[in-house]
Amino acid sequence: MFLQKRNAFVAGLLLASATLVGCASSDSNLTDEERQLAEQRKEALGKAGYRCDTVKVTGSNLPSKRCTTRKQREQEKDNAQSYVDEVIRGTVPEETK
């Protein structure tokens, strides 16, 4: 539970930073210090493997934008693989009973 909250906090922080970088990049009235900060944020997001994808949500015709870090994508992949392994072995995970 704690990890989920922490991951959600980190994702929110990265999303807020990305939003600020996006807004800052369109403003030509930035000081040199603000430009430098925006560039540092952009680099930090790149190092974290931050990426946004457009995904189709089941039951909706409208695509949704989903932004994740490399670590979040790896964790989701591991969770999905574990679930498939359990289904193949014939054991049902406790959380789906």
Side-chain angles (χ1 to χ4, degrees), residues 91-97:
T91 58
V92 178
E94 289 296 320
E95 58 195 47
T96 59
K97 284 185 177 179

Side-chain angles (χ1 to χ4, degrees), residues 52-63:
C52 294
D53 298 310
T54 302
V55 294
K56 294 259 317 183
V57 179
T58 303
S60 174
N61 290 328
L62 301 174

